[in-house]
Structures are given as C-alpha cells and as structure tokens.
Amino acid sequence: MSEPLTESMTETEQPSVPLSVLLADPGLGLSRVAGPADDRPVSTVGTTEIEDPSPYLVGGELLLTAGVRLPRDADGVDTYVRRVVAAGVAALGFGVAPVHPEVPPELVDACDRHGLPLLRLPPSTPFVAVGQATYAAIAEARNRELREISRAQSAMASAAARPDALQAVLTQLSARTGAWAVLCDAQGNELFGAGPRPPSPTPQLVRDLAVRTVAAHSGTGHGHTAGKAPTAAAHHHQGIHLTVHTLPGADSTTTALVLGQAATTAPTLVHRQVTSMATVLLALLTSPRHALSTDTHSAGALVRLMLGATPAEVAPALVPDGRATGDHWTVVHGRHRPARSAPALRPGGDPAQLAALGAALGTPYLHMDGPNLKALIPCSPDARPSVPARAADLGWVLGFSAPAAAAGLPYADVQAERALQRAIAAGAPAVVHTSAALTVHALVAPDDGRELARARFAPLDRAGAPGAPVLLDTLRTWLTLHGSWDRTAAALQLHRNTVRHRLARVAELLDVDLQDPGVRMELWFALQWLPGESADESADSHRTP
C-alpha cells in the first residue's frame, strides 16, 4: 500500500532516545517488569498523579507515577493503562516506596495485556533524575545525528565535484542510508544505481512507484514537473521499505527524474535528511546548464573558434585539468535504440540523458540530435577507448574512433561512423576502431591509391540527384553491412526500394556487377582511398601553412 510523504514528516519528527539506553544507565537503576521487550523511542518524560492523564499527553512519553491516584481495583487499573496506551505513551515508570511498597500486580497484568512497557523505579531514583538523564541522552543522540548529517554533506559535496558526479552521489547516498539507490526517468528506466541490487520484484516495484508518482504529480501523465515542487511517496512490500522522490524540474521542457530507494529498515531522520541533500544535488547535476557544461573555458574556446581560430588552437582549452596527458581526442558516434515503449528523444537531447550519457562516457562534449549522438572525449595519444556498459543500458549503440589530434578529427569522425555502422550490423553495443599495421593498403603508395579511387568513382559525378556523395555513402553502408538491403535501409533510415534504386544506379554508372565478391572487394578498397578517408591526408589538409 502506497502512502504520500510530505515535508512535514521530516520536520516534525521528534528527537528521541531508545528505552534501552535508559534501562542501561546504572545511575537510574531502572528495570522492566512488564510489557513487550521492544526498544521503543522516548521523546519526553512526564509525571502525573491524576486518574486519567490521557488528555494531557502528546505521545512518546515515559510517563512516571508513584500511584497516588491509581485505582485500587483491577478494572480501574485496566482502564487507566488502556487510556495511556491509546494516548501513545512509550512506557510507564512506577516509583515504589512512597505509596506502594512494590509495583501492584494488577498494574503488571494490565501492562502485559495491553502491550505497554512497565519500568520499576527504585526508591533511590528521583523522578527528576530520570528526566535529566533522558534529556541528556536525547541531546547526545541529536548531536550524533547532526555530526552524521554534516559528514554526509561533506562527502556528497565532494562526490558532486567528481567527473562521474551522478554515480558518485548515488554511491554516497547508498552508503549513508544502507539502501539501494536508483535514478530513474519518468518512464521508470534506470539511469544509474548504487548499492546491492535487491532481488525481484523490488526493482520493478520501485520503478512502478516512480512512474505513478510522476504521473500523479504532473497531473498530465507526460512526465513534466513544469516548475512544481518535488514530491515523494512510500510503499512497503514484505518488509522492504520503498521510497521515491521526484527531482524538481528546471523548466517546462525538462523530463522529470526520480530518485528511488529500497531498504530493509525504515528511514530515520538522518536518512531523510541525507536523501533530501542527494535530491537537491542530483537536480542540480541534471539541470540543462550543468548537463551541457556551459563553463567559461568551453565558452571561450567557442568564441575563439567562431572568430577564426583553428580546432587545433582551441582544443587545449577544452581539456579538463588532469583528464588527459596529451592533446588527442576520441570521436564517438551513437544511435539511440530504446525499448519500443520508451518515448523518442527530442531534438537537442534531454538534459537528463545528456548528463547520464556524459557521465558514462566521461565527457561533457556531446551533441544529441534526436536518436543520433556525436561526442568528443579528451584522451592521450595511446589511449584505448573504454566502452561504458551504462551506455547500452541507456539504449545507445556506439562507435569509437582511434585517438586523433585536433587536426585529424575529420578522419576520426569517419572512423567513428564506420564503427557505429559495424556495431549496428553486428548487433553489438559498441565497436572501437582499430588500425592494423599489416594491410593491403600498406602495399600501395598513398598518392597512387587516391588517384585510383578518384578515377574509379569518377563516373558517379554524372549521376545527377541525389549526387555522387549520397551514392557513395549508400554503397559504403551496403558493403559495411555485407550486402543486406534491409539493414542498409534501416541504417540510412530509407525505404528498402530506395536503397535498391541507388545501388542499381551505382552498378550502372561503374559498369560492375555488385553481386560479384571480387567487385565488392575492389570497390571497398577503393573507397578507403577516396579523398578525406585517409588519416594522413586529413591531417595534411588541416595543417596551417
């Protein structure tokens, strides 16, 4: 059963001390003589000698009495206990000697019957001493909570400054609360998680609760918070405590995100405070400004580039301190292929997706255009791109180039696109471009190879619409996908008949049989020598004289 959580629950929770702390205090000499052995929290101490104190109780008290007005008959005692239990008293303390030489057996029976802990106060323990000890213990417990909250604040602030800030904050949250923590989008898709993953069906219950909470909060079911304050909900399932907290949307176009938690114990005041901090930090980290990394270094590099500087000149300004030992970059191309039930990505990308994918790739330099992605990752010249498993979980298929200097980025861009096409063809989550030293290309002089390629594909210049570049790209994709019409059409987002028509035109103009494996091989080698396909040529064309 779900129940709403409100801010008032966090603010009004009273500081308390477990009953066991008072029982363990040797200076008080208290002993439990009746009632359950559970460790109830005591938030205050009250003294009463009236027959019905229930109108003056607020709940959570350790109620002390010497039994001056305690009823003499068993029925009266039973009524007395029943009333204080209904008022929410945590425990009853009975002082012996002044009026009763010992705790009345009728009171013991009634407390056992109604489940109220009954403590015996020896004659040497003043009621005031019990109050002083209780408030001192509450103050110390409160100080411990504040120290724990302060340490958590410091740890989370440090986590938020890390390159993998989203994952780091969730990891700290899980460590501080002992709960599995997960960041979901409005459709319940998991973006990041931390802590031991609970067994089924707990993760699905958290996702379902997240979806219901966003839909109820937005009022439209479309997953937009549109400036509304965050909200939360709770659910209990077979001893597991589930909570979700929506992150406040930065604007009306920001998809709502939800922080979910699953724990085997109920959240404490400290846990709620830590979760509140994490919610704020995660909202900031997934805001459009942070997700797009609009820092002064990037802005300055963009200004210089627009005013005539070359990519090689501005690239060093984009490398974060300590992130790379060289001035090279890995180019990444991606295609988003989510589950059918997931909504399509908006042009420009969703800030939450940008932040999540940027954290997975380790770079703020991403451009998302609907389902298509391009990214730059600063790296050293000998770096081997690391394929993040998280990207596949987010629905992305990726292609990585080899590390390239800024002047060689156009060729690296080609490598990344080729790698992406191979990943799509193979049904793999990612492909990394590799360059083999022993190839047929090494036997051909670069100038001769380029001249051969220009002559081989020159007839395509007479093609007319859609033009030689489009026909070459269709041929290249078709060869990459091993001659599959359907996969080529899907990769180019064309109709199958359009692909057939283009390739028939290529075969006609080049006077070749594309079903001949030898012809396909020759065309593939020639494609590699086209202008702009060679790393050396790309670098030469971008050198400044």
Side-chain angles (χ1 to χ4, degrees):
M1 180 175 181
S2 299
E3 59 188 37
L5 293 178
T6 62
E7 292 300 323
S8 61
M9 288 185 64
T10 300
E11 298 299 329
T12 60
E13 184 172 335
Q14 294 295 320
S16 60
V17 61
L19 190 58
S20 60
V21 172
L22 302 179
L23 288 169
D25 189 335
L28 298 179
L30 305 180
S31 59
R32 191 194 306 261
V33 296
D38 55 339
D39 200 10
R40 300 186 179 184
V42 175
S43 58
T44 187
V45 177
T47 302
T48 181
E49 297 298 346
I50 60 177
E51 294 181 3
D52 181 13
S54 57
Y56 309 99
L57 301 174
V58 296
E61 297 95 343
L62 170 56
L63 187 62
L64 304 180
T65 180
V68 175
R69 303 292 297 274
L70 187 70
R72 300 298 177 179
D73 60 290
D75 289 341
V77 171
D78 186 84
T79 300
Y80 176 89
V81 172
R82 180 163 39 82
R83 286 172 174 171
V84 297
V85 167
V89 165
L92 183 65
F94 194 89
V96 299
V99 179
H100 297 268
E102 215 20 275
V103 181
E106 295 85 359
L107 185 59
V108 173
D109 293 341
C111 287
D112 278 332
R113 190 162 45 250
H114 293 287
L116 178 65
L118 176 61
L119 309 185
R120 178 185 183 277
L121 278 68
S124 59
T125 301
F127 285 5
V128 173
V130 177
Q132 290 175 339
T134 300
Y135 297 132
I138 289 176
E140 176 56 30
R142 185 60 172 168
N143 287 335
R144 285 196 303 271
E145 290 175 345
L146 293 175
R147 289 193 296 269
E148 188 175 348
I149 292 172
S150 178
R151 287 193 294 267
Q153 284 179 325
S154 177
M156 285 195 171
S158 298
R162 289 170 51 99
D164 57 340
L166 291 173
Q167 184 64 60
V169 170
L170 280 180
T171 299
Q172 281 294 328
L173 174 62
S174 176
R176 302 284 169 174
T177 61
W180 175 62
V182 61
L183 186 64
C184 302
D185 62 18
Q187 288 73 43
N189 300 311
E190 295 181 22
L191 303 178
F192 291 94
R197 186 179 182 85
S200 181
T202 298
Q204 186 61 48
L205 291 174
V206 172
R207 293 192 293 268
D208 292 344
L209 185 58
V211 172
R212 293 199 306 272
T213 303
V214 170
H217 186 51
S218 66
T220 62
H222 295 301
H224 297 287
T225 54
K228 296 181 181 179
T231 190
H235 181 70
H236 306 107
H237 177 75
Q238 297 182 354
I240 303 296
H241 298 263
L242 313 176
T243 57
V244 296
H245 298 259
T246 63
L247 273 59
D251 52 49
S252 60
T253 64
T254 302
T255 301
L257 295 180
V258 185
L259 171 62
Q261 293 172 285
T264 55
T265 58
T268 66
L269 175 62
V270 172
H271 294 165
R272 289 172 180 163
Q273 291 286 348
V274 173
T275 299
S276 178
M277 286 186 291
T279 301
V280 173
L281 284 174
L282 292 171
L284 291 173
L285 291 171
T286 54
S287 67
R289 182 174 181 84
H290 188 279
L292 298 176
S293 186
T294 52
D295 57 80
T296 56
H297 290 290
S298 299
L302 176 61
V303 170
R304 292 171 58 197
L305 190 65
M306 293 182 70
L307 295 179
T310 66
E313 290 172 330
V314 303
L318 299 177
V319 181
D321 293 339
R323 290 294 309 280
T325 58
D327 57 352
H328 282 56
W329 301 79
T330 296
V331 179
V332 183
H333 282 207
R335 184 75 54 80
H336 193 242
R337 293 194 164 188
R340 292 184 178 180
S341 59
L345 295 178
R346 298 193 303 270
D350 182 83
Q353 273 279 351
L354 284 174
L357 190 57
L361 292 173
T363 180
Y365 305 120
L366 302 97
H367 170 68
M368 200 180 294
D369 183 12
N372 301 311
L373 166 78
K374 288 189 177 183
L376 286 171
I377 304 175
C379 65
S380 59
D382 57 350
R384 167 79 176 172
S386 177
V387 178
R390 193 77 208 121
D393 295 338
L394 295 172
W396 288 96
V397 180
L398 302 176
F400 292 78
S401 75
L409 285 177
Y411 179 62
D413 188 54
V414 173
Q415 289 181 343
E417 180 60 27
R418 301 288 186 276
L420 173 62
Q421 295 302 329
R422 291 200 298 274
I424 293 174
V431 166
V432 178
H433 174 83
T434 57
S435 298
L438 298 177
T439 65
V440 175
H441 294 285
L443 303 177
V444 181
D447 290 340
D448 293 341
R450 284 191 284 270
E451 183 60 33
L452 173 64
R454 276 191 286 263
R456 190 71 184 86
F457 294 111
L460 296 184
D461 293 335
R462 305 191 304 269
V470 174
L471 293 179
L472 284 170
D473 187 54
T474 304
L475 174 63
R476 185 185 295 108
T477 303
W478 184 72
L479 291 174
T480 299
L481 298 175
H482 310 291
S484 170
W485 307 103
D486 292 331
R487 286 191 289 173
T488 301
L492 297 177
Q493 298 180 336
L494 298 172
H495 192 277
R496 189 170 183 267
N497 290 340
T498 302
V499 174
R500 284 186 175 275
H501 175 75
R502 288 182 181 179
L503 290 175
R505 185 66 174 146
V506 169
E508 176 187 352
L509 291 170
L510 298 183
D511 191 22
V512 295
D513 179 7
L514 292 180
Q515 301 307 314
D516 186 335
V519 170
R520 293 189 190 185
M521 179 184 68
E522 290 180 3
L523 292 178
W524 178 255
F525 281 122
L527 282 170
Q528 310 311 304
W529 287 114
L530 280 177
E533 298 288 324
S534 165
D536 293 335
E537 179 185 328
S538 179
D540 290 341
S541 66
H542 287 81
R543 289 193 183 104
T544 54

